[in-house]
Amino acid sequence: MKAVLALADGRIFMGKAFGATGETSGEVVFNTAMSGYQEVLTDPSYKGQMVTMTYTQIGNTGINPEDIESNQLYLSGFIVREYLDCYSNWRATMSLDAYLKEHGVVGIQGIDTRALTRHLRDKGAQNGIISTIDFDPESLVKKARAIPSMSGLDLATGVTCAAPYHWTEGLWDLESGYPQVDRKDLKYKVVAYDFGIKLNILRCLVSAGCDVTVVPATFPAEAALAMNPDGIFLSNGPGDPEPMKEVIENIKQFVGKKPIFGICLGHQLLGLALGGRTIKLKFGNHGSNLPVMDMATRKVEITAQNHGFSVDILSLSHACKLGHENLNDQTVEGMGHKELPIFSVQHHPEASPGPHDSHYLFDRFVEMMEKFKK
């Protein structure tokens, strides 16, 4: 079946449909990961976006029930060069096409993703629309231009959990899968704010010795402090951090009272709570092969990333120092408070999909909580 991708600036790409049929819209971004498309599909941080995979062949490992980062698909559309319906993997139970159909996600294949990626790099990430029912370029471009900009959108409160819950599942093991850990064996009580949290982040926290209670995005700080946690975790999530005023005020109440660790959107919200500002990047950083330097050790890590906004470290010079730097575009990849037990990173140390170079950050959080207890 024929499908069309139209960008707001008028660029048109003709291709073939796969996954669900119909019409969908969102901000078009590109992801440079060569594998891990299933984790990309289930990452809540992609809500409101249509993801272009720069790797040429997608679908060849199928879909399995274990490699998910949430229980549903949040992205608006999926764009690939070549979809492979014939999959081969010992854990796979269904094809990517069937998976997208099951979750109602529209996909387009057969377009020049290299040309699309270069266009987005030159012109910037922008809104677009995929359609299998309307093939009129003028009509599609008009609809794409009517889509709200990602700037100013609070999407995190739309993907957060409805009520608090405990998490006790650890990291995956080849022999036994995901282990359930006895809470009696977990030393550090952590309240994790869910702004679109990825499951592997929770597993990493548990495997580091944390007894995790996950709470909704707007869960009152007073109620969280009443749990007497050893630390506060601020998760990843979609959208612009600046409109999340209630959340930012909440975070301010933890400063100086508990150790805080933030990832991705949590990192940005923490920057705003500490008096800084954030900026919208031209095309963002999305992939699992992006180099970052830990400024404390000067070691370079290959990281997984998914963000369209960045913290302006100069606006936080009164409180924080640069912790990590992106070696591709020199944007802020992490920061640490000059006096308080607070640090955060823009990239994803849980690395699912991606490398494990940054796993040590969960141990750093545990060490921080242990020191604060003494």
Side-chain angles (χ1 to χ4, degrees):
M1 180 181 290
K2 183 179 177 182
V4 182
L5 167 64
L7 301 182
D9 68 0
R11 187 75 184 264
I12 303 293
F13 294 85
M14 307 297 295
K16 298 178 181 179
F18 80 110
T21 56
E23 197 166 275
T24 189
S25 61
E27 182 184 54
V28 184
V29 299
F30 61 88
N31 186 298
T32 58
M34 296 179 68
S35 62
Y37 57 81
Q38 184 172 340
E39 292 92 334
V40 170
L41 290 168
T42 53
D43 183 350
S45 296
Y46 279 118
K47 182 176 175 61
Q49 295 180 315
M50 301 199 296
V51 181
T52 306
M53 301 301 293
T54 61
Y55 188 65
T56 54
Q57 297 177 321
I58 301 295
N60 51 357
T61 55
I63 297 293
N64 70 76
E66 292 183 311
D67 292 346
I68 59 172
E69 288 299 330
S70 67
N71 293 319
Q72 67 182 85
L73 277 62
Y74 287 97
L75 80 174
S76 299
F78 202 43
I79 305 164
V80 305
R81 174 67 183 93
E82 181 183 2
Y83 164 66
L84 298 178
D85 196 54
C86 182
Y87 60 88
S88 177
N89 183 274
W90 65 280
R91 292 188 299 153
T93 57
M94 66 192 304
S95 70
L96 171 58
D97 177 64
Y99 191 56
L100 294 180
K101 282 187 170 76
E102 182 180 289
H103 290 272
V105 175
V106 178
I108 183 172
Q109 64 152 325
I111 72 166
D112 188 344
T113 51
R114 182 168 58 178
L116 174 57
T117 298
R118 289 173 65 95
H119 187 76
L120 296 175
R121 280 179 59 102
D122 291 342
K123 306 297 183 181
Q126 57 185 285
N127 289 331
I129 188 164
I130 299 173
S131 183
T132 64
I133 54 178
D134 181 358
F135 305 115
D136 177 36
E138 186 176 340
S139 169
L140 291 172
V141 170
K142 183 177 180 180
K143 283 186 270 190
R145 290 173 178 171
I147 303 166
S149 169
M150 186 63 69
S151 295
L153 288 184
D154 171 8
L155 298 177
T157 51
V159 302
T160 188
C161 58
Y165 63 92
H166 292 292
W167 183 272
T168 56
E169 186 176 271
L171 289 169
W172 188 83
D173 178 76
L174 180 63
E175 298 295 329
S176 57
Y178 293 116
Q180 290 297 322
V181 181
D182 191 330
R183 293 183 66 188
K184 295 178 182 177
D185 298 327
L186 300 172
K187 183 177 180 180
Y188 304 95
K189 291 177 63 177
V190 172
V191 171
Y193 273 82
D194 175 13
F195 306 125
I197 199 164
K198 294 171 69 176
L199 299 183
N200 219 50
I201 289 177
L202 295 174
R203 297 179 187 122
C204 285
L205 286 168
V206 169
S207 293
C210 299
D211 179 5
V212 183
T213 300
V214 184
V215 299
T218 56
F219 192 72
E222 297 87 350
L225 290 170
M227 297 178 183
N228 194 29
D230 296 305
I232 302 294
F233 176 78
L234 308 174
S235 87
N236 64 291
D240 186 346
E242 288 195 4
M244 301 174 66
K245 305 299 183 185
E246 183 179 353
V247 172
I248 295 168
E249 290 302 314
N250 240 1
I251 296 172
K252 289 179 180 179
Q253 298 184 56
F254 297 125
V255 175
K257 298 176 183 176
K258 297 290 179 180
I260 304 174
F261 176 27
I263 289 177
C264 196
L265 181 65
H267 158 76
Q268 297 163 11
L269 290 166
L270 184 58
L272 292 171
L274 293 172
R277 70 182 187 96
T278 56
I279 56 175
K280 179 79 164 70
L281 299 177
K282 184 177 181 181
F283 48 80
N285 288 307
H286 313 272
S288 59
N289 44 18
L290 299 161
V292 165
M293 178 176 284
D294 183 334
M295 305 309 287
T297 63
R298 307 299 292 181
K299 290 183 179 180
V300 176
E301 308 157 17
I302 303 303
T303 68
Q305 299 187 23
N306 177 19
H307 61 276
F309 294 83
S310 177
V311 172
D312 177 7
I313 196 65
L314 295 179
S315 67
L316 283 164
S317 58
H318 62 284
C320 297
K321 59 182 179 181
L322 181 65
H324 293 77
E325 183 179 67
N326 188 309
L327 297 183
N328 281 347
D329 60 10
Q330 286 69 56
T331 52
V332 177
E333 284 294 337
M335 62 185 184
H337 200 280
K338 294 179 179 179
E339 298 176 359
L340 301 174
I342 296 172
F343 79 105
S344 59
V345 291
Q346 182 64 75
H347 53 282
H348 286 263
E350 84 287 347
S352 186
H356 299 164
D357 298 25
S358 302
H359 267 197
Y360 69 90
L361 292 169
F362 292 98
D363 293 329
R364 182 179 291 183
F365 183 40
V366 166
E367 292 167 5
M368 182 178 287
M369 289 189 288
E370 177 65 28
K371 185 177 180 181
F372 189 79
K373 289 174 71 173
K374 294 180 178 179

